[in-house]
Amino acid sequence: MRPFGISSKRSSVVSEKDMSILLFNGFLLLGFVVATVPDVLVLGSPGAMQIMDRDPSTKKCHYNRAMSLLEARCSNLELHEIPTHLKADIQVLDATVNRLRELTNDSLALYKNLAYIYLADNFIQNIEEAAFANQLYLEVLDLSQNGCDNLPKNLFQLPYLRTLYLGHNKLTDSVFKVKVTSPLRLLQLTKNKLTRIPNLGAQPNLLRLNVSDNVIVSVSTEDLAPLCSLKELDLSRNIIRFNPGSCDCQMFSAWAKLRQIKIKPDDFYNCTDSPAEDCANMQFSNRTYELYNECSAIIQQEVETEKARSAWILVASCVSVFLFIVFVTLFCVHKRNRRRRRKQKEQQQLTANNANTELLNSNLTAGNS
Ligand SMILES: *[C@@H]1O[C@H](CO)[C@@H](O)[C@H](O)[C@H]1NC(C)=O
Ligand SMILES: *[C@@H]1O[C@H](CO)[C@@H](O)[C@H](O)[C@H]1NC(C)=O
Ligand SMILES: *[C@@H]1O[C@H](CO)[C@@H](O)[C@H](O)[C@H]1NC(C)=O
Ligand SMILES: *[C@@H]1O[C@H](CO)[C@@H](O)[C@H](O)[C@H]1NC(C)=O
C-alpha cells in the first residue's frame, strides 16, 4: 500500500512540472503577440483634470491633463527661455506668445517625452543643431510666426514627426536641402521666402502642403511627382509664370488632375496665358514617372510589410490559442486521473481493511476452536 502512494505522488509531480513549462511558453507567446501589436493597446480614456503647480520657479506655467496627455501650459508669460523646472514627463509643451529668441541644445533636453511642442508667436531666430535631438517622440511642432531662417537638419529625421507648422518665418529653399525621413503628413510653409516647391525627395505620407505667400516663380510636374500621396497644395499668392508658348501649365494641371491633387487657387487649372490647342499630345517626362514610381514603391513596400506582420500575428495567435487548449485539456486530464487514483486508493484501503478484519475474525475463530 505504501509504495503505491509514493509512486502516485511522483507521477503527479512530473506532470505538474510539464504543465508549468507549457503554461510558461504559452504566456511568453501571448506576451510576444501583445508586444508586437502596440497599436491595439488603447490609451486611457480622456479624463480632464486640472493640477495647479505651486512651485514658483515654474513661472506660472500650469498643468493640464487632457486625452491622457500631460500638458504644461506656459503661453503668454513673457518667457525669455523655456522653463527648466517643469515635470520631466510632460508630453505637451505650450510656450506660444512669449519672448523666446533662441532654442539651444539644452532648451528642451530635460523633456524627453514631448509629442507636441507649440512655440508659435515668439522671436526665435536661432535654433541650435541639437535642439530637437532628444525629441524622439515628437509628432507635432509649431514654430509659426518666428524669425527662423534656418532649421536643424536632424529635425527632419525625427521618427514620428508628422506635422510641421513653419508659416510666417524667413525660410529659404536651402533649408530643405536635407534628407527628410520623418513621416510628414502636413507641412505648413505659408509666408516664407521659398522660390520653389521644396524638394523633399519621395514623401509617401505627405497629404497637405501649404506654400502660399512665398516667392515661387515656377512649378513643374517633377516637383509634384515625389509627393505621391499629396491631396492638397496651396500655391496662392506666389509669382508663378509658365514659359509662354509652352505646355508646362497644361502639363502641371493635368498631372494634378490625374493624381487628384486639390490645388489652390482654384483658377490655377485654367492656364489662361497658354495656348490650349497645341497641347493635346503632351507627355509627362520620364523623370516625372520615375519620381512618382519611387514614391509609390515605398508605399507598396509598407503595405507588404504590414501584411507580413498581420500574417505573423495571426499565426502566433493561433498557436497561442492551440497551446492554451492543450494546457486546459492536460490540466483536466490530470485532475481526473488524480481523482480516479484517490478513489482507487480508498477502495484498496477499504478492501484491505475488510481482509484484515476477516483475517482477524478467522484467527479469532481458529483460536477459539
Ligand atoms: C549643439 O550641438 C551641436 C551638435 O551636437 C554641436 O555641434 C554644437 O557645438 C552644440 N552647441 C553648443 C553651444 O554647445
Ligand atoms: C494655407 O495657409 C493659409 C494661411 O494660413 C490659409 O489661409 C489657407 O487656408 C491654407 N490653405 C489650405 C489649403 O489649407
Ligand atoms: C477658371 O475656370 C473656371 C471654370 O472652369 C471659371 O469659373 C473661372 O472664372 C476661371 N478663372 C479665370 C481666372 O479665368
Ligand atoms: C522615355 O523613355 C522611353 C522608353 O523608356 C524612350 O523611348 C523615350 O525616348 C524617353 N523620353 C525621354 C524624353 O527621355
Side-chain angles (χ1 to χ4, degrees):
M1 242 148 56
R2 278 249 169 265
F4 177 68
I6 286 169
S7 82
S8 126
K9 205 166 210 162
R10 187 179 293 146
S11 81
S12 87
V13 164
V14 167
S15 59
E16 252 162 30
K17 200 168 151 197
D18 285 350
M19 200 110 51
S20 65
I21 288 170
L22 279 170
L23 211 66
F24 178 71
N25 283 343
F27 274 116
L28 218 62
L29 210 63
L30 272 176
F32 179 73
V33 170
V34 170
T36 50
V37 255
D39 312 343
V40 173
L41 299 177
V42 181
L43 289 173
S45 60
M49 174 171 61
Q50 292 274 342
I51 319 157
M52 293 300 287
D53 197 276
R54 300 189 196 292
D55 184 353
S57 66
T58 56
K59 283 192 185 173
K60 298 180 290 180
C61 290
H62 64 270
Y63 295 102
N64 180 50
R65 195 180 273 280
M67 305 294 281
S68 83
L69 295 176
L70 181 61
E71 175 183 7
R73 289 192 172 168
C74 309
S75 185
N76 220 331
L77 298 178
E78 300 179 11
L79 298 174
H80 288 267
E81 50 198 42
I82 290 172
T84 50
H85 294 97
L86 301 171
K87 292 182 184 179
D89 60 344
I90 50 171
Q91 291 151 297
V92 185
L93 173 62
D94 178 357
T96 53
V97 199
N98 279 294
R99 311 239 162 115
L100 308 176
R101 292 184 175 279
E102 186 181 39
L103 293 180
T104 67
N105 288 349
D106 298 331
S107 295
L108 294 160
L110 294 167
Y111 312 115
K112 296 190 169 67
N113 292 331
L114 287 170
Y116 299 81
I117 301 179
Y118 301 110
L119 298 172
D121 206 343
N122 277 281
F123 304 106
I124 300 168
Q125 290 190 358
N126 183 37
I127 302 179
E128 282 185 2
E129 200 55 37
F132 296 105
N134 279 329
Q135 303 306 327
L136 295 183
Y137 303 105
L138 188 60
E139 294 177 35
V140 176
L141 174 62
D142 188 350
L143 279 169
S144 310
Q145 288 176 280
N146 279 284
C148 299
D149 56 8
N150 213 338
L151 293 170
K153 303 271 179 241
N154 58 19
L155 175 63
F156 297 99
Q157 279 133 34
L158 294 178
Y160 295 108
L161 188 64
R162 57 181 164 81
T163 302
L164 254 180
Y165 297 105
L166 300 172
H168 298 258
N169 277 285
K170 297 175 178 170
L171 302 175
T172 54
D173 299 334
S174 62
V175 171
F176 297 97
K177 287 206 173 100
V178 52
K179 188 157 176 56
V180 181
T181 57
S182 302
L184 285 182
R185 294 158 66 90
L186 185 154
L187 183 52
Q188 165 61 290
L189 283 166
T190 188
K191 241 183 187 329
N192 276 284
K193 296 183 166 177
L194 304 176
T195 68
R196 51 165 299 164
I197 291 175
N199 181 8
L200 306 170
Q203 289 302 314
N205 300 292
L206 192 65
L207 300 173
R208 294 166 65 193
L209 175 61
N210 195 333
V211 286
S212 59
D213 267 306
N214 276 274
V215 284
I216 297 175
V217 288
S218 74
V219 294
S220 79
T221 54
E222 291 171 19
D223 296 331
L224 289 191
L227 315 177
C228 59
S229 298
L230 195 66
K231 287 278 161 273
E232 250 182 57
L233 172 64
D234 196 336
L235 288 167
S236 313
R237 296 178 296 283
N238 278 286
I239 45 173
I240 297 164
R241 290 278 171 274
F242 290 99
N243 284 339
S246 77
C247 292
D248 293 353
C249 178
Q250 281 82 358
M251 201 97 91
F252 187 83
S253 48
W255 181 265
K257 268 182 196 150
L258 179 67
R259 304 265 67 100
Q260 295 180 311
I261 302 169
K262 214 174 124 214
I263 292 192
K264 278 197 164 181
D266 299 329
D267 62 9
F268 203 85
Y269 295 108
N270 291 24
C271 298
T272 36
D273 296 342
S274 312
E277 62 267 30
D278 305 346
C279 298
N281 293 325
M282 61 181 183
Q283 276 196 333
F284 300 121
S285 70
N286 287 356
R287 183 79 186 129
T288 301
Y289 286 116
E290 232 170 73
L291 292 168
Y292 178 76
N293 290 341
E294 200 181 306
C295 178
S296 314
I298 298 174
I299 296 177
Q300 193 57 34
Q301 202 176 2
E302 277 168 5
V303 167
E304 245 135 63
T305 311
E306 186 52 37
K307 255 193 221 159
R309 201 177 78 126
S310 305
W312 218 100
I313 289 168
L314 187 70
V315 168
S317 308
C318 288
V319 171
S320 321
V321 168
F322 172 74
L323 282 180
F324 182 73
I325 290 169
V326 168
F327 310 142
V328 170
T329 315
L330 278 179
F331 188 69
C332 290
V333 167
H334 168 69
K335 268 217 145 147
R336 206 190 54 192
N337 283 350
R338 210 155 66 169
R339 217 179 305 125
R340 196 185 289 160
R341 271 194 222 107
R342 202 178 299 136
K343 245 185 203 157
Q344 262 173 4
K345 208 164 97 181
E346 277 167 11
Q347 239 157 22
Q348 267 170 0
Q349 210 160 14
L350 209 67
T351 331
N353 280 350
N354 286 347
N356 280 348
T357 320
E358 270 169 34
L359 202 67
L360 200 69
N361 283 345
S362 67
N363 279 352
L364 278 177
T365 332
N368 283 348
S369 61

